[in-house]
Amino acid sequence: MIITMKKLAPQEEIDRMVRSIELKGLQVTMISGTDYNVFGVVGDTTILDDRKLSASPYVDNVQRVSAPYKLANRVFHPADTVVDVSGVRIGGSEPVVVMAGPCSIESETHTDLMADLVKQAGGRIFRGGAYKPRTSPYAFQGLGSDGIRYMETAGKKYGMPIVSELMSIDKLEEFVEHVDLIQIGARNMQNFDLLKEVGRTKKPVLLKRGLANTIEEWLMSAEYIMAGGNEKVILCERGIRTFEKYTRNTLDLSVIPVIKQRSHLPIVIDPSHATGDRKLVESMSLAAIAAGADGLIIETHCDPPHALSDGAQCLYPSQLALLIERGREIARVIGRDL
Ligand code: PEP
Ligand code: MN
């Protein structure tokens, strides 16, 4: 970290700042210029609050050299993290994992049918929302506990772990007991209390990128979970808000190599919420595999026009099967299985 202090800063102010940083176990080196005093701070600077340092009227600028996240940072953990989701391994050089299922869990028979179809198509983890974060309070809100129960039964029957979204802390116990992979949705990426609570569990977490969050903010949210002792975090890009209207969101595929460079955590792509359009899902999925994604999460429905949510972006099961077949070929080209 580089702290630039104004030349007029009184000596006692400079001493106070240096002392407070050194007391935290960091080393400070000063370079005295004609207009400014520049301090180089080395050590674990993640514990310093740059905004707080900037609050001093004598500080002109605070510049971070290293990232503010530590546990999620590849620098301190060079090997890829592989997250085991009840027997399905995600990350590193493991096969690309396809998670698929409906946006919302709709009924017991529908859940059973969807799990069967996802399994037949080659999916390895069954997705479905039981607690739904809907933009309108009048839209279908999900089946709640019943939905989780239907998923758990179907997952066990067809031999697939399940992933579902947790929206509030009061349902955490239910998820710890019945869900294999806890999804934190885009809207809750910065719900820090929720992140802290899932961080106290041992459950794998699928952390979606917020609607308008930077990669650094996303990694800081991963850091929240990891700081609680839970290092089983899988990142999920699901498109971000831009000015573009022809797609529901803008899929930022460049996050795949960026995350691989900066973090050791696995990265999964959600082409369904990113595009909002079933016609775009296959091409974006293949591109994601080519770019090195560790997995995909794809909304699939046996009857999309009548789906209770997100029908426009749900694939028909036959399309999912074809996508997986084509994806396997792309994965092979880059030396990976699917
Ligand atoms: C979902 O996966 O059903 C969902 C609501 O996703 P997101 O949080 O990315 O909008
Ligand atoms: Mn959805």
Side-chain angles (χ1 to χ4, degrees), residues 181-253:
L181 175 58
I182 299 177
Q183 177 175 325
I184 300 294
R187 290 156 193 81
N188 273 316
M189 189 205 87
Q190 287 191 315
N191 181 339
F192 300 117
D193 283 345
L194 188 60
L195 300 179
K196 281 186 206 163
E197 288 303 318
V198 294
R200 281 193 250 276
T201 75
K202 301 253 176 296
K203 279 275 164 174
V205 179
L206 184 75
L207 177 65
K208 288 199 158 192
R209 182 180 180 183
L211 311 172
N213 286 105
T214 64
I215 297 172
E216 188 164 290
E217 287 164 344
W218 188 20
L219 286 170
M220 287 306 282
S221 291
E223 190 81 9
Y224 256 93
I225 300 169
M226 299 171 88
N230 185 356
E231 307 221 333
K232 298 175 196 159
V233 179
I234 301 168
L235 300 164
C236 177
E237 162 68 35
R238 46 78 73 206
I240 47 171
R241 277 285 170 87
T242 68
F243 48 81
E244 184 50 62
K245 289 192 164 64
Y246 283 8
T247 49
R248 184 177 180 183
N249 291 291
T250 296
L251 176 57
D252 182 3
L253 275 181

Side-chain angles (χ1 to χ4, degrees), residues 246 248 271-272 275-281 312-314:
Y246 283 8
R248 184 177 180 183
S272 310
T275 64
D277 181 347
R278 132 173 19 100
K279 295 188 294 300
L280 306 178
V281 168
Q313 67 198 34
C314 284

Side-chain angles (χ1 to χ4, degrees), residues 102-104 127 132-134 183 208 248 270 272-273 299 309-311 313-314:
C103 176
S104 294
R127 72 141 281 152
K132 296 301 302 176
R134 305 305 300 279
Q183 177 175 325
K208 288 199 158 192
R248 184 177 180 183
D270 173 348
S272 310
H273 293 90
E299 287 189 340
S309 56
D310 284 350
Q313 67 198 34
C314 284

